[in-house]
Each structure stands twice: as C-alpha cells, then as structure tokens.
Amino acid sequence: MKPQFTVQLFILFSSFLEEPLRNKKEQQIIPKFSEEIKHLTVQCLSVVLPAKYKEGRYDSFSSSPYFLLSQTLQEDFFVPIASQCIMKLLNTIRYEQNIDLRLGALRLLSQLLHDNLRDINVIVMSFPGVTSSLCATIAQKSEKENHKVMCSALDTLGELIQAVMCDDKNNTLTEIDSFSDIFNKRQKEAKNEVLTESSILVMHIDDDYNEVSITCRIRMQSLLSSAAFQRTIVPILKSNLYDWIMKFPQFVISKDEREKTIAISIISGFIILLGDQSESVLSTVLSRASDGWMTALEIDKESLHILEEKQRERYIELKDDNLHSSPIYPKIRFKHFVTDATANKLIRLLNIIGKYCDLQAWIYHFMRYVSMDFGMTNDPQAAYIVHALLSGALAHDTDATSETNGWIVEEDINNSKNENVKVIATQLLNDTMNILVNAAMTDINKTLSLATNTASFQLDEEVNHVLTVCFSLQIVGLTTCVINHEHLQDQLITMLYPLLAHLGSSNIYIHTYSLITLNIIAITCGLSNARELAIQNIDYIINMISQHISVLTNNARVPLVLKALIHVGGYDAINYLDDTIQEIYDALERYSLNDWLCAQLCSVLFEIIQTLEKNVLPDISLNNYSNKANNVDTNTTFESDNQMSNEIKSFIDNFEINIEHTDKEHGSMEEIGEYFLDRQAKGLHDNITLEKTLLKTN
C-alpha cells in the first residue's frame, strides 16, 4: 500500500469517530454515528496502521516489510493528523457505553502511540492530555465502571508512563559506574555552563550601555585568567568565530536589521574576547570570506547622487577656525544596511578587526580590489574597508574606534606594534597616492569623450570610479596624521598637485573629499587651513604645473589644478603666477585649434580676473571716491564710458558687430583668447601684470 493512500484511509476512518453532540438543556448526549459503526471504524484503523498491536515497539519490526511504510507516519506532517485521532479515541473511551468499543479504542490508542508513532518526543507531547483523560475515565464512575475498562485503562496508562520515563531512550543521560564517571560528568556540565556564560558575554561585551559592557569585560578578565578556560573553551570560541565570519554575508543579504545587529555583536564579541588570539582565525578566514564580505558591504550608489556635478562658482568655503575642529567626511550608506545604527555597528566591527588582525595582510588583500582602469574590476567598498581597518589599528583602545573621530594621533607612538602601523600607513599612503595620480592623469581624448558623450561609458563604472577616488582621498587624510612630519613634508612635493587636480573636479563628491583632505593635511602640519598649506608649498605646485602644461593633451587636468589653486590660495596665490600666466598664453597659441583646451585655459584667466576683482577693484573704487571728494573741479569727474581702455572698448564694439555670427557656446572664450594673443604679439604684455593693467584701466 502506498504511503499517501494509507494516510488518506487513516483520515477517512478517523472522521467516523466524531465527538458526540451534547444537548445542554436536556443533559443528553446525541451520537453522530452508532456504536456499531464506531466499533467497525476502530477495527479498520487498527488494520490500516502498518505496525500491529505490540509489534512495532520491538527492534525486530525493522525487518518487517511494513517498516518503511511506518516511517512515513513518523514524519512531521502526520503528527497533527495523529493528534486529532488520539483526541477522538480518548472521547470514545470516556463517553461511549459499549464495552467492546471502549476496549478496542484503548487497544488502538496503545497501538498508535507505541507501535506506529514510536518517537518519544511525540509521545511526550501527548503525555499530559492522554494521562489526564485516562485518569478521568478511571475516576468518573468509581465502583460502577466496568472492571475490564478499568484494567485496560490502567494498562495503557502504565505503558505510557514507562515509555516516557524510560532512561534507555533518553540520550541526554550519562551512565555512571564509578566516581570517575561522576567527575567527568561534572566537568562536562561545567564546560557547558562556561560556554553558556561565554555566549552571553560575547553578545554584550561591546554593548552600547557602558554599565553592561564594563560588567562583561570584568567577567571576561576573570575567565581569561583561568588555564582551564584557555585550554578547553578558547578552541571552541575560535571555531565559532570562524563560522560566524563565513556566514556573515548571508546574514547581511537575507536577514532583517535586528538579526544583522546580533551577528555583528557576536563577531565583535568573539574578537574582543579572544583578543590577540583571534589573529590566527582572521588570517585563515581572510581569503575565504573576502568575496562574500565585498558583496555584503556594497555601497548604496542610488541614494548618493554620486555623478552630481557642482554648479559654477559652487565651492565649499574654508574658514579660519578649523584648527581645533575634526573634519568629517560625508556619510556613506550601504546597500544592505537600512538604519544608521546598524551601519555604525558595522564600521565598529571593521575597526575591531583592524585592531586585532594582521593589518598589513588585510590591507594588501583588499587593495587588490581597487583599480582606476576603466573596464577593470573595481570595488570601491574595498578602499572604505581599508580606511576602517586602519582607523581601528590607530585607536588607543576599542572604545575610540568610530568613523569620524579617534583617528587623529595625539600621543607619541612608542611600542613596536604601533611603529609597525606607521610603516604600514606610509606604504599605504604611497599606494593610495599612485591611485590618485592615475585618476588625475586624464588625456584630452578621454576628457572630451567624458564631457561630450557620458552615455558611452557604463554608469556603474563611473560611479565606482568616483567612489574609489573619494575613499582614496579619505585614506590619504588618515595616513597623513600617522606618518612622521618630516616624511609628510617630503611627500607634499608630489602630493599637492593630484589633490588640487581632484579639488578642481566638477563632481561635487570628489571636490568635497579633496577639500576636506587638504584641510586635514593643513591641520596635521600645524597650519590653520588649506589656504596656508597651498601658499607655503606653492613653489612645488607651480613647478608641477610648468612640467605638465607643456603637454596638455596628456595632462588635461592642469587647468583644473590652476583654478583650484587660485580659489584655495586666493589673491596671495596670484602674486606667484606671472610665469604661469605667460605659459597659459603660450599654450593658447600652441593649442589654438583645440576649442576645448582653449576654453579650459581661458576659464583659468577668468578665475584670475574674478579673484583680482574681489581684492583689487574695491580698493580702486575707494581711492577714486576719495579723489572725487577732494577735487572741486567737475571736469575731473569721469563718466562711466571713459573708465575703460580703448582696447577693451574696441573689443566690445567688434563683439557687438559680430555677435550674430558667433557660436553662443564657445564664441566668448575664443574672442577673449584671440584678444590676449593679439596683445601678446604686439608686445603689450611685456613687463606688466594683470594688476597693473587693472590699475592702468582705472
């Protein structure tokens, strides 16, 4: 007989044992089916069951041809069906009048429980209800109850108690034959107690409430001082740490925020509890779990508007009171972490890992995921992980490892471990600057393609490129706070040019990260802000500009560097740009047929004029106002039309005549460029600066 057919027959025959109806008004019991039909139903159920009465409870039944069929009745889906049948049998035993029917129901109950279900856990679940009903059957009529029913009920009840209380079927019991068995049992119980306590400590050792965290740490210290704990429990904790790190990506992707938080707390607790002993586990699991972690820690790119470009004149202004403030980078959101609290716990976890792992191996491993070449695999979250790892390694303790503070080193680093961290930070700075230099080396063809046909590039690659640059700038800001100041001063010779190149980027994220990084470097060097940093090192910057401006086709970011330098350095920076301006004129003549480059170079001149206008022209206007107040001759009052030179007036007149034939997009820049080239050819720019020109004009 097929198992499905057996189950269907069992359900069918059980339906004939429906509970009788009760008339509460007349205190009568109205049966649905006659007792003869119910008796036949009990007999049919006994035949349908694979194991007969007192056959399935013995080991010899395993050789029966019905053994496999009986296995079907032990599956989970059959338990609710059997429970309903047991309830109907108990009602039949208690309320029916026919002696043979009641005896058959008692026999069938024993056959179903002990011969067919057989699972002691299922029998235990039915034990309270069956015992209560059988005791009620025995006690309900006292002396008037039939002795056969009484004896059969007692027999069934005894079998049930014996099955539940039998120690042979209890796998949790330990056989004790000597005192050594008692000692081993006690050791096992103590080990389980310690494991339970350790699991509680792991969950709360990094709790947000200091009272809970401190209590757990004190208890942890007492456990670690025990040699038995080190010998027996630590290997189990290491194994559990390995398992949790391996399955962490699955938790992040598929579980809710509460389960993610629990998983993060468990991994953090294991690492803090094991301390330096966790390094071996972290080294083993690195290569096996890193791909999964990279997927789990993917950045939420859709909510950041990463490709947003800043509007004209939209710069983050620097203030003079930044000396004692901690620059904070924009907050980044992860794709699989919804709440800020969970994301902060994740960053905390990365900080803790950075404190106890083999830092050089972890940083080297994750930096391999970073690439600035379009078309190559590039995972920007790897750079973010590297930053978080180094932040944790630099913290003085595990209490100061947040994302935005605790990373500025204020105390002398003396021990060998932190000296090693300084060496790692120096190497990381060099590698990260190479990434930024490659990102800043943009040739003219690539720049024009990006400017005119962005759709030709995959959007995901562009977003990854922007994020990688941002996180690399964040790493630079962190590492410059760690390395020696002498080495940092040497690095500034080559560092400032690519940083200014990214500061001049039209992308608002890159621009913001660059400015914050420059501000951090200035604070590290003991300066007020990035303005002082740029002025003090302007010779290095101008030297790099002079080297790159001669070949603009391969260094299309030179105008961006110049505009960023002028904006950061302000009026003081222009005093050093006389030779650079001459080089701009030469470049305009050299690349006069390249509209895009000429427009970029003229935008630099426009930035210079704007800066001079803000700083020079107000003084000139004030002097003119004083002269007018002291001069009573009205002929000395100049009309607005006479306040411009003849050259500029001629240029305006020609522009108005030809404005209808000029390209609206590029015409103004081309005319300005031709104007300055014409003056240069006539020698009108010899030994004169823009400031003198403006003074002469007014």
Side-chain angles (χ1 to χ4, degrees):
M1 186 182 299
K2 293 184 178 180
Q4 296 84 352
F5 186 58
T6 301
V7 174
Q8 292 174 1
L9 286 176
F10 188 86
I11 297 173
L12 173 64
F13 291 130
S14 298
S15 63
F16 290 97
L17 294 175
E18 293 294 340
E19 185 177 358
L21 299 176
R22 291 178 177 80
N23 191 334
K24 295 183 179 180
K25 293 183 179 180
E26 300 180 1
Q27 298 295 325
Q28 293 180 353
I29 298 176
I30 305 174
K32 283 188 175 182
F33 300 100
S34 64
E35 292 183 339
E36 290 77 10
I37 293 177
K38 290 185 177 182
H39 190 197
L40 291 174
T41 299
V42 170
Q43 293 176 355
C44 291
L45 284 171
S46 178
V47 173
V48 167
L49 292 175
K52 306 310 174 185
Y53 179 66
K54 289 190 177 182
E55 180 183 14
R57 65 191 70 184
Y58 301 111
D59 296 336
S60 59
F61 180 69
S62 59
S63 60
S64 172
Y66 300 103
F67 178 75
L68 294 178
L69 182 60
S70 68
Q71 294 292 102
T72 305
L73 303 185
Q74 296 184 12
E75 296 182 4
D76 294 338
F77 79 92
F78 187 72
V79 174
I81 301 173
S83 299
Q84 294 182 2
C85 183
I86 291 172
M87 181 185 66
K88 295 174 182 179
L89 289 174
L90 291 173
N91 290 329
T92 301
I93 295 168
R94 184 173 181 180
Y95 297 112
E96 296 294 343
Q97 300 298 322
N98 189 287
I99 302 300
D100 293 334
L101 172 59
R102 297 174 71 187
L103 293 175
L106 284 166
R107 180 187 177 94
L108 178 61
L109 178 63
S110 177
Q111 179 184 358
L112 178 61
L113 288 173
H114 303 293
D115 297 306
N116 289 275
L117 293 178
R118 295 199 303 273
D119 188 356
I120 190 62
N121 294 321
V122 177
I123 297 175
V124 167
M125 291 171 60
S126 62
F127 180 80
V130 174
T131 304
S132 175
S133 183
L134 291 177
C135 290
T137 301
I138 296 171
Q140 66 182 352
K141 294 182 181 180
S142 62
E143 298 89 357
K144 296 181 180 181
E145 184 62 78
N146 185 278
H147 70 283
K148 290 184 179 180
V149 175
M150 294 277 286
C151 293
S152 182
L154 289 172
D155 190 21
T156 304
L157 184 60
E159 290 177 351
L160 182 62
I161 295 173
Q162 183 182 7
V164 173
M165 304 301 294
C166 182
D167 291 342
D168 294 340
K169 297 181 180 180
N170 192 341
N171 298 326
T172 62
L173 297 179
T174 304
E175 185 177 355
I176 298 177
D177 297 325
S178 62
F179 285 106
S180 61
D181 294 337
I182 298 176
F183 178 75
N184 293 333
K185 182 176 182 297
R186 179 55 189 157
Q187 273 194 328
K188 185 177 180 181
E189 292 176 353
K191 183 178 180 180
N192 292 334
E193 291 175 0
V194 174
L195 282 175
T196 303
E197 183 179 4
S198 300
S199 63
I200 297 175
L201 290 177
V202 164
M203 281 288 297
H204 301 287
I205 199 170
D206 197 39
D207 196 86
D208 294 334
Y209 294 97
N210 291 332
E211 293 81 0
V212 177
S213 177
I214 292 173
T215 303
C216 290
R217 289 171 186 267
I218 293 174
R219 179 56 184 164
M220 178 192 70
Q221 294 298 329
S222 63
L223 285 176
L224 292 175
S225 62
S226 172
F229 180 86
Q230 295 284 345
R231 184 175 62 255
T232 58
I233 306 300
V234 167
I236 299 176
L237 297 180
K238 288 183 177 181
S239 177
N240 291 339
L241 173 60
Y242 178 89
D243 294 338
W244 272 101
I245 293 178
M246 290 298 296
K247 62 185 179 183
F248 178 70
Q250 179 184 358
F251 265 75
V252 172
I253 295 173
S254 61
K255 303 296 182 179
D256 58 22
E257 292 298 295
R258 179 178 176 275
E259 291 179 288
K260 294 174 188 176
T261 303
I262 292 175
I264 293 173
S265 299
I266 290 175
I267 297 175
S268 301
F270 274 130
I271 296 175
I272 295 175
L273 184 62
L274 291 171
D276 293 334
Q277 298 185 64
S278 63
E279 181 179 344
S280 59
V281 180
L282 295 173
S283 298
T284 304
V285 80
L286 174 59
S287 59
R288 304 175 186 178
S290 59
D291 289 341
W293 278 58
M294 292 296 294
T295 302
L297 271 61
E298 184 178 355
I299 305 297
D300 184 8
K301 304 165 187 174
E302 297 180 359
S303 64
L304 296 178
H305 305 289
I306 299 215
L307 297 180
E308 177 186 0
E309 293 189 356
K310 67 177 187 294
Q311 302 171 356
R312 179 182 291 273
E313 305 302 328
R314 183 179 176 184
Y315 288 93
I316 298 177
E317 297 297 334
L318 298 174
K319 298 181 180 180
D320 296 331
D321 55 352
N322 288 337
L323 182 59
H324 301 290
S325 61
S326 298
I328 299 176
Y329 289 96
K331 182 176 287 293
I332 295 297
R333 294 190 177 275
F334 296 93
K335 182 177 181 180
H336 301 291
F337 293 89
V338 179
T339 63
D340 291 339
T342 310
N344 291 337
K345 276 190 168 292
L346 172 66
I347 297 169
R348 165 78 171 170
L349 171 60
L350 294 174
N351 294 154
I352 294 173
I353 292 175
K355 188 170 184 63
Y356 293 103
C357 71
D358 183 353
L359 186 62
Q360 186 171 10
W362 275 67
I363 289 178
Y364 174 76
H365 182 85
F366 280 105
M367 287 300 289
R368 295 188 303 172
Y369 289 91
V370 181
S371 174
M372 281 287 98
D373 298 328
F374 280 90
M376 300 291 292
T377 302
N378 179 35
D379 297 311
Q381 60 266 37
Y384 192 87
I385 292 174
V386 169
H387 177 270
L389 293 173
L390 185 59
S391 299
L394 295 175
H396 299 295
D397 53 39
T398 54
D399 294 326
T401 52
S402 64
E403 178 187 12
T404 58
N405 52 30
W407 51 266
I408 296 183
V409 179
E410 298 178 351
E411 299 180 3
D412 292 335
I413 301 176
N414 298 320
N415 59 63
S416 58
K417 181 177 181 179
N418 285 333
E419 286 293 339
N420 186 42
V421 172
K422 294 177 83 173
V423 175
I424 296 173
T426 303
Q427 181 61 44
L428 178 61
L429 175 62
N430 295 333
D431 296 340
T432 308
M433 286 307 305
N434 289 335
I435 293 175
L436 293 175
V437 169
N438 292 335
M441 292 176 60
T442 308
D443 57 57
I444 182 62
N445 296 326
K446 184 174 180 180
T447 303
L448 286 173
S449 177
L450 284 172
T452 59
N453 190 19
T454 306
S456 63
F457 288 86
Q458 293 184 4
L459 182 63
D460 190 58
E461 288 186 356
E462 292 185 51
V463 172
N464 288 342
H465 180 87
V466 171
L467 284 174
T468 301
V469 171
C470 292
F471 295 152
S472 298
L473 290 166
Q474 193 170 358
I475 292 175
V476 170
L478 176 61
T479 52
T480 52
C481 301
V482 183
I483 64 176
N484 295 324
H485 286 183
E486 296 80 6
H487 182 71
L488 176 59
Q489 291 294 334
D490 295 338
Q491 290 291 320
L492 288 178
I493 299 176
T494 55
M495 282 176 56
L496 291 177
Y497 178 84
L499 293 180
L500 289 172
H502 292 299
L503 179 63
S505 172
S506 61
N507 183 276
I508 186 63
Y509 266 83
I510 295 179
H511 172 78
T512 303
Y513 273 76
S514 303
L515 188 57
I516 295 174
T517 301
L518 286 169
N519 213 24
I520 290 173
I521 296 175
I523 295 174
T524 306
C525 294
L527 304 175
S528 298
N529 48 40
R531 187 185 303 276
E532 291 187 15
L533 179 69
I535 296 301
Q536 285 198 7
N537 298 274
I538 197 168
D539 292 340
Y540 303 145
I541 302 171
I542 292 176
N543 183 47
M544 295 292 291
I545 291 172
S546 299
Q547 294 177 12
H548 291 82
I549 200 172
S550 58
V551 190
L552 277 179
T553 52
N554 295 329
N555 301 282
R557 287 183 178 266
V558 171
L560 300 181
V561 177
L562 278 167
K563 287 195 292 184
L565 176 62
I566 295 167
H567 177 75
V568 172
Y571 177 73
D572 295 335
I574 297 179
N575 296 327
Y576 299 89
L577 296 181
D578 290 342
D579 295 337
T580 304
I581 293 173
Q582 182 63 41
E583 292 173 349
I584 292 175
Y585 295 148
D586 295 339
L588 283 170
E589 183 177 0
R590 198 161 49 247
Y591 299 103
S592 59
L593 299 179
N594 192 313
D595 295 341
W596 189 87
L597 277 180
C598 288
Q600 294 296 312
L601 292 171
C602 289
S603 66
V604 177
L605 298 175
F606 181 72
E607 184 76 24
I608 294 174
I609 294 172
Q610 277 192 320
T611 304
L612 288 172
E613 182 181 8
K614 294 177 183 177
N615 294 272
V616 176
L617 293 184
D619 296 335
I620 297 173
S621 301
L622 182 62
N623 293 333
N624 288 338
Y625 178 78
S626 300
N627 292 333
K628 292 176 184 179
N630 296 327
N631 192 349
V632 295
D633 187 0
T634 57
N635 294 329
T636 59
T637 303
F638 296 97
E639 299 294 334
S640 58
D641 294 338
N642 295 329
Q643 290 183 356
M644 62 180 70
S645 64
N646 295 329
E647 292 85 354
I648 295 179
K649 189 174 186 304
S650 175
F651 168 76
I652 294 175
D653 293 338
N654 292 332
F655 178 78
E656 291 176 349
I657 294 173
N658 300 323
I659 190 170
E660 296 180 357
H661 306 286
T662 305
D663 187 355
K664 294 182 180 180
E665 181 177 0
H666 303 289
S668 60
M669 288 298 182
E670 291 178 357
E671 293 291 347
I672 293 174
E674 291 177 1
Y675 166 73
F676 282 111
L677 288 173
D678 183 62
R679 287 181 60 84
Q680 180 185 2
K682 295 178 180 180
L684 299 178
H685 287 309
D686 296 341
N687 300 322
I688 189 170
T689 63
L690 285 177
E691 181 177 353
K692 293 180 180 179
T693 302
L694 289 173
L695 292 172
K696 179 180 178 182
T697 302
N698 291 274

